[in-house]
Amino acid sequence: MAKSSADDDELRRACEAAIEGTKQKIVMSIRVAKSRGIWGKSGKLGRQMAKPRVLALSTKSKGQRIKAFLRVMKYSTGGVLEPAKLYKLKHLSKVEVIANDPSGCTFTLGFDNLRSQSVTPPQWTMRNIDDRNRLLLCILNICKDVLGRLPKVVGIDVVEMALWAKENTPSVSTQRNLTDGPVVATVTESDLKVTVEKELVSQAEEEDMEALLGTYVMGIGEAEAFSERLKRELLALEAANVHAILESEPLIDEVLHGLESATNCVDDMDEWLGIFNVKLRHMREDIESIETRNNNLEMQSVNNKALIEELDKLLERLHVPPEYAACLKGDSFDEARMLQNIEACEWLTGALRGLEVPNLDSTYANMRAVREKRAELEKLKSTFVRTASVFLSNYFASLVDFMISDKSYFSQRGQLKRPDHADLRYKCRTYARLLQHLKSLDKNCLGSLRKAYCGSLNLLLRREAREFANELRASTKASRNPTVWLEASTGSGQNVNAADTSTVSEAYAKMLTIFIPLLVDESSFFAHFMCFEVPALVPPGGLVNGNKTEYNDDDANDDDLGIMDIDDNDSKTGKSSAELAALNESLQDLLDGIQDDFYAVVDWAYKIDPLRCISMHGITERYLSGQKADAAGFVRLLLGDLESRISMQFSRFVDEACHQIERNERNVRQMGVLSYIPRFATLATRMEQYIQGQSRDLVDQAYTKFVSIMFVTLEKIAQTDPKYADIFLLENYAAFQNSLYDLANVVPTLAKFYHQASEAYEQACTRHISVIIYTQFERLFQFARRIEDLMYTITPEEIPFQLGLSKMDLRKMLKSTLSGVDKSISAMYKKLQKNLTSEELLPSLWDKCKKEFLDKYESFVQLVAKIYHPSENIPSVAEMKELLGNL
């Protein structure tokens, strides 16, 4: 017999090495085969292949407690054992030996703490029964000693296990741990060692069991004698049974007779029950038939009642009240009858909706009565809509004709009349709800009504604007200002002190103040009155031009039509692009033509004072920034066109002024400061006074154009006489700076041109002074220039030996140039003074001239000292500076 793996010391050491560091002690280790297949009838494993594993029982002491574990070891790639799984024996609930395994060597261990109980537990197969018993006995002993309980054992008898343990334990060496260790028994038989913790049956239990068996097994040692005894007892029992049967024959006869009588009674009862069953079946069928007919009658009665109720409701829907029919067919739309007309419209709208499929069952919709009634209602609707549309169109025209025929509604000579549409809107609001009902009945009818309203009201608005604009121009007194500001032919003595024309701007502002809020209110009223689904233009108490609306009618809020929304869609704030496009088209018809009267006021103001375009531009921009509502699109277009008109007129003025500047270059030779430079300063001062709001950009663009043309013209005039060009330029650029000094400090655009003029002035001064200096001291600085040119090609030591540059030549040049230097300087001063028309520039120019001359002379002295050494007698820079200071 092969040696068991439980006695393999190398296996035990390999297991201890695998769990090194866990403080656990190996009690037993044994090789097994792991599989998850099932045992079939043939006794063979299923498809899965068995895997070699090692089961190791280990314990761990923790204080007074001992924990027991079952470890599963597997072989790694290199054949080294490594831990695979760890089970705690305190969770072991069942030990089951597989019954289908004929060898009895396969068993499973059930644990109650596994996460998935639906997974089949692994099966462990031992090499033989002894290895199986040895492992299971060790597990059971540990559970009993350490845990104080035994798991459930299935498929093996515990008594058989104890007997096996006793037979395989001839010599026992017991070691007891009095404190906390279990009792360990080591069994040795023919080099076979079995480790068991305790016997399953105590000695006293074994003695009691032997005594009990001795009571029933008498002479069990003599097998043949015991067999003969059993045969004799069996024959005796059979004989006793036959004797008892023979003695009970009369009783059996009585029983058989009673059974026969009972059978006859049962047959009779069965026949009677069959008859009764047939009768009951027929009766049950009759009752079912009666109940069916009764249920059908009840169902028919309920259906007829429901049908009558539905037909009554349908008839109620189809009924047309005579009072409503009279209103819808009539042609009376007086204010006194408007309430009845509105109620009739509401009823007609509800009746038409009630006959539509969503509100009416589709079954009823195809009934002839419903179709006929729907056609009748459609005819009523078309008749009413046509009659109401004709009435409203005539009504709007009559209202406007009445107002136009009364001259007291408009401005007259000596009296400006503010347009008042309160009465007109009040009368229109009477029919506001009627318009909404007409829209709900037929949206297409509003197109003609909107055109009629726009055409009538457009005549009134244009008449009001024309009369107001005419009287406004007639009543405004203002002197006409000159339009020629920068013309050279007007003479330098032209009076540029223009008269006060502020009344012109005030008149234009008054025109906007009166009519822009009026047009916005009319647009808003029209959008709501004619049922456009757009938000309010100006909310109640809203702002126009950033301030409270100055145009107020007697009614606190003209946009409030005093009506309630009929259609739920009317409460939505969103609007379709098609609706907004239709509104803008109607507003175009409503307000078209009124812009001509605004243009007339703008043109009139331009003729009086072109500079007033600046203030009018600011006023218009302020109103334009206040118009944000989508429905006031035409008002914004009107303001935008006015702004463009004002900008065009102002651009016209700027272009004419630029032409006036350009005409200067056609004149005869110009001397001194050009006339348009001081006039531009006066013009700029006046323009700054007129700036309002957002008109700064307009003025800055004019400044840019003016100054650009001025500088270009100045350069062109200077080129006509190159001899005096620099004098001409420096005088004019200096005059430009002097005249715009104050404005340049506050106007960034002018400051930019101020710096540009300053740079041009400095350049002209430098050129003019250089010409004067070279004219008087040409030989001196010509000599220095020749030396500087040669220094690029030869060394300084070789220069005195060049032709015309010897020391002798230097002395001759100095004698001829510096012998009368005071006269030369005086001549230079007189030449600077000779052609200069602006005497106030002479001191600064002379200072610049002296500084420039000293700088050049100092460079000459240093150059001579470097080339010819200080052997030559040359006046020093200090002497020359002193000489210049004395003159």
Side-chain angles (χ1 to χ4, degrees):
M1 180 175 170
K3 184 179 180 181
S4 174
S5 60
D7 302 324
D8 192 344
D9 293 336
E10 292 183 1
L11 181 62
R12 180 188 294 267
R13 283 192 296 270
C15 292
E16 290 176 350
I19 64 171
E20 185 178 1
T22 60
K23 298 182 180 179
Q24 295 181 15
K25 181 179 179 182
I26 298 296
V27 177
M28 172 181 280
S29 59
I30 191 167
R31 293 186 178 90
V32 297
K34 176 186 175 182
S35 63
R36 288 191 181 273
I38 60 174
W39 288 94
K41 293 182 180 180
S42 60
K44 295 182 179 180
L45 281 172
R47 294 181 180 179
Q48 293 191 1
M49 296 296 292
K51 301 177 182 179
R53 293 288 186 268
V54 173
L55 293 181
L57 293 170
S58 62
T59 59
K60 179 180 180 181
S61 299
K62 188 175 183 181
Q64 299 296 328
R65 297 168 55 193
I66 296 177
K67 294 184 178 181
F69 305 94
L70 174 65
R71 285 186 172 273
V72 180
M73 305 284 187
K74 68 178 181 178
Y75 290 95
S76 64
T77 306
V80 180
L81 283 178
E82 59 182 16
K85 291 199 175 188
L86 175 67
Y87 300 97
K88 294 182 179 180
L89 287 184
K90 69 178 182 179
H91 295 297
L92 181 64
S93 60
K94 183 172 71 172
V95 178
E96 180 178 2
V97 176
I98 302 302
N100 290 334
D101 183 9
S103 65
C105 297
T106 303
F107 62 92
T108 61
L109 300 175
F111 294 88
D112 57 9
N113 66 333
L114 296 181
R115 294 183 180 178
S116 178
Q117 297 293 341
S118 62
V119 179
T120 305
Q123 298 177 358
W124 311 101
T125 303
M126 313 300 291
R127 293 195 304 172
N128 49 49
I129 294 297
D130 291 337
D131 284 353
R132 184 205 71 181
N133 291 340
R134 191 174 296 182
L135 177 63
L136 295 183
L137 187 63
C138 186
I139 292 174
L140 294 176
N141 286 334
I142 291 176
C143 290
K144 183 176 181 181
D145 290 341
V146 176
L147 306 178
R149 66 175 179 81
L150 289 175
K152 181 180 179 181
V153 180
V154 180
I156 188 172
D157 191 359
V158 178
V159 177
E160 180 185 350
M161 182 77 71
L163 292 176
W164 178 90
K166 186 175 182 180
E167 291 176 0
N168 290 275
T169 314
S171 62
V172 179
S173 175
T174 305
Q175 297 177 359
R176 293 184 178 273
N177 191 329
L178 299 177
T179 58
D180 58 358
V183 178
V184 180
T186 304
V187 181
T188 305
E189 180 186 5
S190 303
D191 297 332
L192 190 64
K193 294 182 180 179
V194 180
T195 303
V196 183
E197 291 189 353
K198 258 189 179 181
E199 295 179 356
L200 296 178
V201 182
S202 64
Q203 186 68 30
E205 291 173 346
E206 184 179 355
E207 292 176 356
D208 292 340
M209 190 180 299
E210 289 179 354
L212 182 63
L213 291 174
T215 303
Y216 292 98
V217 186
M218 304 272 307
I220 194 170
E222 300 280 344
E224 294 180 359
F226 182 66
S227 177
E228 289 295 332
R229 179 182 174 183
L230 289 178
K231 288 180 181 180
R232 289 194 301 270
E233 289 180 357
L234 178 59
L235 291 175
L237 287 174
E238 289 177 354
N241 290 335
V242 172
H243 178 72
I245 292 172
L246 292 176
E247 287 181 350
S248 60
E249 182 178 358
L251 297 176
I252 292 173
D253 292 337
E254 292 180 5
V255 171
L256 292 175
H257 181 70
L259 289 174
E260 185 177 358
S261 300
T263 301
N264 294 331
C265 291
V266 169
D267 292 338
D268 295 339
M269 183 64 68
D270 181 64
E271 184 178 355
W272 282 101
L273 289 176
I275 295 172
F276 287 134
N277 186 29
V278 172
K279 292 182 177 181
L280 288 174
R281 185 173 67 252
H282 290 305
M283 187 180 295
R284 185 166 55 251
E285 291 175 354
D286 293 340
I287 292 172
E288 289 178 354
S289 177
I290 293 171
E291 288 180 350
T292 301
R293 290 196 299 270
N294 187 32
N295 290 337
N296 291 335
L297 290 174
E298 289 182 358
M299 181 63 68
Q300 186 177 1
S301 175
V302 171
N303 290 337
N304 289 336
K305 184 179 180 180
L307 179 60
I308 291 172
E309 292 178 355
E310 289 296 325
L311 290 176
D312 290 339
K313 293 179 182 178
L314 182 60
L315 289 174
E316 184 178 356
R317 285 188 178 184
L318 300 179
H319 175 66
V320 180
E323 63 274 14
Y324 292 155
C327 289
L328 294 172
K329 293 178 181 179
D331 57 354
S332 177
F333 293 94
D334 296 337
E335 186 174 352
R337 292 185 56 83
M338 281 309 299
L339 182 60
Q340 291 85 349
N341 290 331
I342 294 300
E343 290 178 354
C345 286
E346 291 176 350
W347 175 87
L348 180 59
T349 303
L352 288 172
R353 289 181 179 176
L355 295 181
E356 294 176 355
V357 172
N359 301 315
L360 181 68
D361 193 279
S362 58
T363 306
Y364 298 151
N366 297 322
M367 294 177 62
R368 186 177 68 179
V370 175
R371 296 198 304 270
E372 291 176 353
K373 184 57 64 175
R374 187 184 296 113
E376 180 183 351
L377 294 179
E378 290 289 342
K379 185 176 181 180
L380 277 177
K381 181 187 75 172
S382 60
T383 302
F384 178 77
V385 168
R386 182 177 64 256
T387 307
S389 299
V390 172
F391 169 77
L392 289 175
S393 298
N394 296 331
Y395 182 73
F396 296 149
S398 64
L399 282 179
V400 173
D401 290 341
F402 174 76
M403 295 182 67
I404 290 178
S405 62
D406 189 355
K407 293 184 179 180
S408 62
Y409 277 102
F410 308 103
S411 299
Q412 301 177 12
R413 183 176 299 276
Q415 180 184 6
L416 282 174
K417 181 73 174 180
R418 179 190 296 268
D420 186 2
H421 293 181
D423 186 59
L424 174 65
R425 295 180 188 177
Y426 174 77
K427 292 179 180 179
C428 289
R429 277 198 292 272
T430 304
Y431 300 95
R433 295 196 65 186
L434 178 62
L435 280 171
Q436 287 209 346
H437 284 290
L438 289 177
K439 178 184 177 182
S440 63
L441 291 173
D442 185 7
K443 288 186 177 181
N444 297 326
C445 72
L446 288 181
S448 59
L449 287 175
R450 289 167 179 172
K451 286 186 177 295
Y453 180 87
C454 291
S456 300
L457 195 62
N458 180 261
L459 295 175
L460 178 62
L461 290 174
R462 293 180 64 180
R463 174 74 179 276
E464 289 172 341
R466 182 170 63 255
E467 297 294 342
F468 189 89
N470 292 338
E471 181 57 29
L472 185 66
R473 294 197 299 271
S475 61
T476 302
K477 304 300 181 183
S479 301
R480 187 182 298 272
N481 269 347
T483 58
V484 180
W485 282 84
L486 305 177
E487 182 67 61
S489 61
T490 57
S492 60
Q494 180 193 22
N495 182 14
V496 294
N497 294 324
D500 183 17
T501 57
S502 59
T503 54
V504 175
S505 298
E506 293 173 359
Y508 176 76
K510 192 170 187 179
M511 183 78 176
L512 294 185
T513 302
I514 295 299
F515 277 92
I516 293 303
L518 172 65
L519 298 181
V520 172
D521 290 343
E522 285 299 333
S523 301
S524 179
F525 178 80
F526 173 75
H528 289 76
F529 180 59
M530 285 299 170
C531 306
F532 286 97
E533 296 179 3
V534 294
L537 280 83
V538 179
L543 301 180
V544 176
N545 179 31
N547 300 310
K548 280 226 176 226
T549 305
E550 297 185 21
Y551 179 84
N552 293 317
D553 289 337
D554 295 337
D555 197 343
N557 181 16
D558 288 332
D559 294 337
D560 186 5
L561 302 180
I563 59 179
M564 296 178 64
D565 292 329
I566 297 174
D567 191 354
D568 291 338
N569 292 331
D570 293 338
S571 62
K572 296 180 180 179
T573 58
K575 56 186 180 300
S576 64
S577 58
E579 191 77 3
L580 185 58
L583 173 60
N584 288 329
E585 183 179 354
S586 298
L587 289 178
Q588 181 75 21
D589 297 336
L590 177 68
L591 305 177
D592 191 25
I594 198 173
Q595 65 270 20
D596 296 336
D597 298 299
F598 286 89
Y599 293 160
V601 174
V602 171
D603 297 342
W604 164 75
Y606 172 77
K607 291 178 182 179
I608 293 178
D609 187 0
L611 295 182
R612 281 296 164 183
C613 290
I614 300 174
S615 55
M616 290 192 298
H617 185 277
I619 295 170
T620 308
E621 182 66 30
R622 186 172 69 249
Y623 274 91
L624 186 59
S625 62
Q627 306 304 317
K628 299 297 183 184
D630 291 333
F634 185 82
V635 178
R636 291 203 312 278
L637 291 177
L638 172 62
L639 290 171
D641 292 342
L642 281 175
E643 187 179 38
S644 300
R645 183 88 170 198
I646 294 169
S647 300
M648 181 191 70
Q649 294 285 28
F650 187 70
S651 298
R652 176 183 167 190
F653 164 74
V654 172
D655 292 339
E656 290 178 356
C658 290
H659 290 316
Q660 296 168 13
I661 295 173
E662 291 174 344
R663 281 197 290 270
N664 282 272
E665 62 178 289
R666 304 195 192 104
N667 297 333
V668 192
R669 177 173 176 266
Q670 301 285 334
M671 294 296 293
V673 178
L674 295 178
S675 59
Y676 63 70
I677 289 182
R679 290 176 188 171
F680 172 73
T682 305
L683 176 62
T685 304
R686 189 69 176 270
M687 291 170 66
E688 289 295 322
Q689 295 173 357
Y690 290 166
I691 291 178
Q692 292 186 18
Q694 303 295 326
S695 55
R696 163 56 62 190
D697 293 340
L698 183 70
V699 174
D700 287 344
Q701 292 173 7
Y703 285 158
T704 302
K705 194 166 185 179
F706 279 143
V707 178
S708 299
I709 294 296
M710 288 168 59
F711 286 175
V712 170
T713 304
L714 190 63
E715 294 290 340
K716 288 182 179 179
I717 295 174
Q719 295 303 320
T720 58
D721 191 358
K723 182 177 180 181
Y724 301 100
D726 293 331
I727 300 176
F728 178 75
L729 289 176
L730 66 89
E731 286 183 336
N732 282 275
Y733 282 127
F736 182 86
Q737 295 178 73
N738 294 334
S739 60
L740 291 178
Y741 177 78
D742 294 332
L743 286 178
N745 287 327
V746 294
V747 181
T749 303
L750 291 179
K752 180 182 68 174
F753 291 113
Y754 181 89
H755 293 303
Q756 183 178 342
S758 177
E759 293 176 0
Y761 170 76
E762 293 294 336
Q763 293 173 5
C765 287
T766 302
R767 290 195 301 270
H768 182 56
I769 290 172
S770 297
V771 170
I772 292 176
I773 292 174
Y774 276 105
T775 301
Q776 296 298 324
F777 298 95
E778 181 178 4
R779 291 189 62 190
L780 179 70
F781 296 113
Q782 186 68 30
F783 192 86
R785 183 176 298 175
R786 290 178 60 193
I787 295 175
E788 291 174 351
D789 293 341
L790 286 175
M791 289 181 69
Y792 290 107
T793 57
I794 61 177
T795 60
E797 291 78 6
E798 298 177 0
I799 291 177
F801 301 100
Q802 301 299 318
L803 182 62
L805 294 179
S806 63
K807 290 186 178 181
M808 182 63 66
D809 295 329
L810 175 63
R811 294 190 191 99
K812 290 179 181 180
M813 183 273 298
L814 291 176
K815 183 177 180 180
S816 62
T817 303
L818 299 181
S819 58
V821 66
D822 52 346
K823 294 180 181 181
S824 299
I825 293 175
S826 298
M828 187 168 58
Y829 178 79
K830 291 177 181 179
K831 190 172 184 61
L832 184 65
Q833 184 183 20
K834 178 180 179 182
N835 298 315
L836 194 64
T837 58
S838 301
E839 294 293 336
E840 65 274 7
L841 297 178
L842 183 59
S844 62
L845 283 176
W846 177 240
D847 292 338
K848 289 179 180 291
C849 184
K850 291 190 293 183
K851 183 177 182 303
E852 183 72 17
F853 175 74
L854 287 175
D855 291 341
K856 292 180 179 296
Y857 184 74
E858 184 178 1
S859 299
F860 172 75
V861 172
Q862 293 176 358
L863 187 64
V864 170
K866 182 177 181 181
I867 302 300
Y868 299 97
H869 304 293
S871 59
E872 301 299 329
N873 187 15
I874 301 176
S876 64
V877 176
E879 293 174 355
M880 191 63 69
K881 186 175 182 180
E882 182 180 357
L883 181 60
L884 288 171
N886 295 332
L887 292 177

